[in-house]
Structure formats: structure tokens, C-alpha cells
Amino acid sequence: MDGLAQLVGQGDAVLLAVALLLLAMSVGAWIVILRQGRVLRRAGRDLGRAVPAFWAAPSMDEGRLRLEALDREAVALPLLDAALRAPCADTLEAGGSSESQLTRRLRDALHAVLRRLQSGQVLLASIGTTAPFVGLFGTVWGVHRALAGLSGDGGFTIERISAPVGEALVMTAAGLAVAIPAVLAYNVFGRWVGQCEAELEGFAHDLLELAGRAGAAAER
């Protein structure tokens, strides 16, 4: 970090802009990592408790109360509410069969929950892929400035080149330091979202079967 600060202090507006961009990327990535990490950990743990508690309830009302109490991130509750919600009258949705109406509502609710769970994934992927190149650009620019400054003094020596070039390489290290946590978090979060998605798809499928049995019983 001392090398980066020294390079920026001795550099021009381009190096300063690169350093500020890397700083903004790092701050943005860590905000997403801390926020979404908390959300996804809670969602995964709560699904493992809330869904079994719902199916163990003696009635639908009691099951909803249990789900609401245990599902702190509200990832399973929207699916249950979608299954219980009646379609609006005089709409195209109301003109379809009851099964297709329920399937559409559950699908829309599932997609809305997944969009919330995937929040920030695009930012992490973008930072993970672009930060090394931003750092590399800073390195190339720093080396160019160092060599241009030495050329005016006459003569090149290893001692005179190694110090400014070594400082310029700090930009590449800074880019990697920003990118690596973003890439690791993106991969871990993708796995957690996939696990939640599998749980929610199973829950939606079971709700569809439950509603179908309830509808068949009501028709008898």
C-alpha cells in the first residue's frame, strides 16, 4: 500500500483516476459481499427450518404463521402468498385454468425472490473481470511515465529503472487485490443462490400439488 500511495503521489491525473477507480470498485465489491453474504446465509438457514415447519402445521393459517416467523428474509413466504392469492376478475389471468393461474403466480413469485437473492452478482462479476485490466493499465501508464522521465536524463541503468517500474507494478497487484475477493464471492454466492433456488422450486412444486388436491376435494 505504501508503494501505491507513493506512485499515486508522484503520478499524474491518469494514475490518480486509476487508483480512485480501483478504490471505488473495492468499496462497491465489499458492500455487496457483506450485504448479500448476510442475506444468503440467513435465507439458506431459514429455508431449512421454515419449510419443514410449514408442512408440519395442522392448518394452512398456522403454517403461514410459522413460515412468517421463521422466514426472516421472506424468500418462501411470497410463494405461499402467491398460491393463496386469487386472480383478479375480468383479467386474462382469470380466463385460464386454475392450475395454469397458480403456476404463473408461483413462477412470478419465484423469479422475484431469485432476483432479490442475485442482487449484486452482476457487479461482482464485472469487478472481478475488469479490475485486473484497470490495474494493468495503471502499471503500463506508470512504466511509460517512468521510462519517459529517465530518457530525458540520459542513460539507463538497472538501479534507475527498477525503482519506478517496481512502483508501477503495484497497480497490477492492486487490481488483483480488488478482483480476487469479488470473484470468490461471486462463485460462493452463486452456489448459495443455486441451493436456495432448488429448495424454493421444490416448495413451489409441493404447493402446486397441495392446491390441486384442495381444488379436487372442493369439486366433489
Side-chain angles (χ1 to χ4, degrees), residues 110-160:
L110 177 61
H111 289 171
V113 170
L114 290 178
R115 282 195 299 270
R116 182 156 53 86
L117 293 178
Q118 293 168 348
S119 175
Q121 293 283 84
V122 174
L123 179 62
L124 290 179
S126 301
I127 291 175
T129 55
T130 58
F133 296 103
V134 174
L136 182 60
F137 174 76
T139 294
V140 172
W141 186 262
V143 171
H144 167 71
R145 289 189 69 256
L147 294 178
L150 290 175
S151 63
D153 298 334
F156 289 92
T157 63
I158 296 298
E159 292 77 10
R160 299 181 64 188

Side-chain angles (χ1 to χ4, degrees), residues 39 42-44 46-47 50 64 67-81 109-110 112-114 116-117 200 203:
V39 169
R42 282 162 57 102
D46 290 352
L47 277 175
R64 191 188 186 284
L67 198 64
E68 186 176 11
L70 295 174
D71 187 17
R72 293 173 294 177
E73 294 298 332
V75 292
L77 188 61
L79 273 66
L80 178 60
D81 290 340
L110 177 61
V113 170
L114 290 178
R116 182 156 53 86
L117 293 178
L200 292 172
F203 184 54

